[in-house]
Amino acid sequence: SKEEYNGFFKTTFREFLDPLAQNHFNVEGTIEFRGILYVPGMAPFDSQQNFSGKSNNIKLYVKRVFISDEFDTDLMPRYLNFIKGVIDSSDLPLNVSREILQESRITRIMRKQLIKRSFDMIKEISKREDKSDYNTFWESFGKNIKLGIIEDSDNKAELAKFLRFYTTKSGDETTSLDDYISRMKAEQKDIFYLAADNKEAAENAPFLEQLRKKDFEVIYLTEPIDEVAFTNLGEYQEKKLADVSKEDLALGEETEEEKQKEEKVAEEFKDVTDFMAGVLGGKVEKVVISKRLSDSPAILVTSKFGWSANMEKIMKAQAMGDSNAMEYMKGRKIMEINADSPIIKDIKSRIADNKNDPQATEVVSLMYDTALLTSGFPVENPRDFAKKIYDTMTFAAGLSSDARPSESGTPAVEPEVVDPEDPWK
């Protein structure tokens, strides 16, 4: 009965919560073994450290004689180290050692079967009507599934079915890739995603402006491992995974009329893109008209095969990172501008009168620093950026550029000259 299974789990593995699922099986054929596997009700408190250490979660018996619980890495891949179970083999020798396990064909068959049985349990949890069980599983072991996509290329398509993420349309609930595909618009060819520090940062990213207008759904990747997992996955159900912060984003099929309009706008604003590229110099590879902006004047996207802004931030935070290798992997920055923005139109009118307009140059420089921030990059020179902001505030307040506050922090007051002949004094 279920109570007996739960009682055995708690007694054997010293757990206090009921398991989320169990699988009691018996394999017969060229080799014979039987066992019972469990998905725990919660992750252990030291789950982060357990990725690199031994879990002692699989207890191996041979002909009902306990052998060891230290062979878990030989019987289970690292990403499934949260699965707990008891395995009894009739074919392994009683004096089995790690060397025998590593070279044994029996072990390879057992390992394959244990992975399959583990997937069956996870699949069963995901199909339950009560979604709270799978939510509990995902909160506890979601990182393990993502690690599996990175490490297990043979099973990554199967593991991808278990992924859950927030999206632009999912609200407070997570959604699967299968559900995402079922909601895709007819003209949408790729699965769109955006990596950010958290859900709020992703929701406010300027990369989503046109995607929202076209009603395209975008997946939010909010954990450091997410983007690496998606890069390794590459595609799902023959649909490519497309990062909306990278160059050459395809927003569905374009009509001939739309293509001609884009070419016309690009030609009309060529003087602006050339001017901005000249001001920014080596900071950007090029300046182009954007297809993904509707409100923001500009953003910075990265080249297809380099790191995104989010990945660059993660790699910089690595204690043992190689700074030389990092320079090669950084994505080239490409500035995309919004031709409908009043700021861009103002730059166009200014350089039409004077190609070396100093105010237009200052605006472009400030726009680049602002685009760095909104696109997820760190500002290259915070002090210089702060000075530009203060100068803008000074100009907006109608003060002269040489206005200075007094030592007390309040505006200096001119001293009053008193006339001794003045009867009112």
Side-chain angles (χ1 to χ4, degrees):
S1 67
K2 186 175 181 180
E3 289 73 20
E4 289 173 328
Y5 279 122
N6 292 350
F8 177 76
F9 171 74
K10 291 177 180 177
T11 305
T12 306
F13 299 102
R14 297 179 183 177
E15 293 276 348
F16 60 91
L17 287 178
D18 288 340
L20 289 172
Q22 78 274 334
N23 189 335
H24 194 177
F25 59 90
N26 187 20
V27 176
E28 296 178 346
T30 53
I31 69 162
E32 292 185 5
F33 70 97
R34 57 178 180 266
I36 181 168
L37 298 176
Y38 291 96
V39 175
M42 65 174 287
F45 297 112
D46 61 343
S47 58
Q48 296 299 319
Q49 286 74 27
N50 268 356
F51 278 126
S52 55
K54 295 182 184 298
S55 64
N56 303 110
N57 283 339
I58 301 296
K59 300 185 183 296
L60 177 63
Y61 288 74
V62 174
K63 298 170 185 171
R64 299 190 179 183
V65 176
F66 177 66
I67 303 301
S68 177
D69 60 359
E70 296 184 355
F71 294 153
D72 49 304
T73 54
D74 298 298
L75 295 171
M76 278 287 199
R78 182 170 68 142
Y79 66 90
L80 290 177
N81 65 359
F82 64 91
I83 300 289
K84 300 192 175 190
V86 177
I87 307 300
D88 182 21
S89 171
S90 302
D91 298 296
L92 289 170
L94 285 169
N95 62 341
V96 64
S97 64
R98 183 172 296 280
E99 289 73 22
I100 292 173
L101 281 179
Q102 288 174 343
E103 297 174 6
S104 172
R105 185 180 68 88
I106 297 170
T107 307
R108 289 195 294 271
I109 295 172
M110 288 174 66
R111 181 185 173 99
K112 193 173 181 179
Q113 281 291 327
L114 293 177
I115 292 172
K116 180 180 178 298
R117 306 286 174 173
S118 299
F119 287 178
D120 289 344
M121 286 192 293
I122 299 170
K123 193 181 298 182
E124 188 271 323
I125 299 171
S126 69
K127 290 183 177 179
R128 291 177 188 171
E129 289 187 15
D130 184 3
K131 299 298 180 185
S132 63
D133 284 348
Y134 196 79
N135 291 339
T136 301
F137 168 82
W138 184 249
E139 287 172 14
S140 300
F141 309 114
K143 286 187 177 71
N144 294 72
I145 302 300
K146 296 167 188 174
L147 180 65
I149 289 175
I150 297 167
E151 294 187 341
D152 190 350
S153 57
D154 293 334
N155 291 306
K156 66 181 182 182
E158 187 69 21
L159 286 163
K161 296 176 182 178
F162 305 139
L163 293 172
R164 297 292 184 273
F165 296 103
Y166 291 108
T167 73
T168 49
K169 294 183 179 180
S170 68
D172 294 329
E173 297 293 326
T174 55
T175 191
S176 67
L177 292 180
D178 287 320
D179 289 340
Y180 176 97
I181 289 173
S182 70
R183 294 193 292 266
M184 282 175 65
K185 297 176 74 66
E187 66 271 24
Q188 185 180 344
K189 304 299 180 186
D190 302 327
I191 296 173
F192 296 127
Y193 70 87
L194 174 65
D197 290 337
N198 50 58
K199 185 184 173 188
E200 290 72 24
E203 286 174 336
N204 294 312
F207 303 105
L208 305 180
E209 290 175 1
Q210 277 294 345
L211 287 156
R212 280 205 176 96
K213 281 197 169 184
K214 290 178 177 284
D215 198 33
F216 289 146
E217 188 172 7
V218 181
I219 295 170
Y220 299 146
L221 306 184
T222 56
E223 293 185 342
I225 196 174
D226 290 352
E227 191 172 357
V228 184
F230 260 47
T231 303
N232 277 269
L233 185 59
E235 62 176 41
Y236 182 72
Q237 291 191 8
E238 298 181 353
K239 296 186 183 297
K240 290 183 179 178
L241 304 178
D243 186 346
V244 300
S245 70
K246 296 286 184 80
E247 65 174 331
D248 296 334
L249 182 67
L251 302 179
E253 293 287 342
E254 289 184 331
T255 62
E256 196 61 37
E257 186 181 342
E258 287 173 331
K259 287 179 182 177
Q260 290 176 358
K261 184 181 178 182
E262 286 171 8
E263 290 171 3
K264 184 180 178 183
V265 171
E267 185 62 32
E268 184 184 344
F269 282 83
K270 189 176 186 303
D271 55 340
V272 178
T273 55
D274 289 347
F275 171 76
M276 293 179 73
V279 171
L280 298 175
K283 293 179 180 178
V284 297
E285 185 186 356
K286 57 184 176 181
V287 180
V288 297
I289 302 298
S290 180
K291 297 178 185 178
R292 69 190 98 197
L293 291 177
S294 60
D295 302 317
S296 302
I299 53 169
L300 288 167
V301 300
T302 51
S303 52
K304 266 189 175 181
F305 302 106
W307 286 337
S308 67
N310 185 69
M311 182 56 67
E312 191 175 315
K313 194 185 305 178
I314 292 168
M315 298 309 292
K316 277 184 179 177
Q318 302 301 310
M320 304 300 288
D322 185 345
S323 57
N324 293 325
M326 205 174 292
E327 290 300 318
Y328 291 109
M329 291 304 297
K330 278 183 181 178
R332 303 185 312 278
K333 295 184 181 73
I334 297 159
M335 177 172 262
E336 293 189 358
I337 61 172
N338 179 6
D340 296 325
S341 168
I343 298 174
I344 301 299
K345 289 178 179 178
D346 181 65
I347 292 172
K348 181 174 173 59
S349 64
R350 284 180 180 278
I351 62 174
D353 299 331
N354 178 10
K355 290 188 177 181
N356 297 312
D357 187 287
Q359 196 162 348
T361 302
E362 287 179 16
V363 170
V364 171
S365 180
L366 181 57
M367 189 187 299
Y368 171 77
D369 286 339
T370 309
L372 280 173
L373 286 174
T374 58
S375 304
F377 294 97
V379 174
E380 294 166 359
N381 190 332
R383 184 176 179 180
D384 185 47
F385 177 63
K387 183 180 182 302
K388 292 172 188 174
I389 295 295
Y390 293 146
D391 288 346
T392 304
M393 292 165 65
T394 301
F395 177 78
L399 301 174
S400 62
S401 59
D402 58 349
R404 293 288 183 272
S406 67
E407 290 183 6
S408 62
T410 57
V413 179
E414 293 292 328
E416 181 182 3
V417 179
V418 180
D419 183 359
E421 302 298 326
D422 190 345
W424 297 102
K425 298 293 181 183

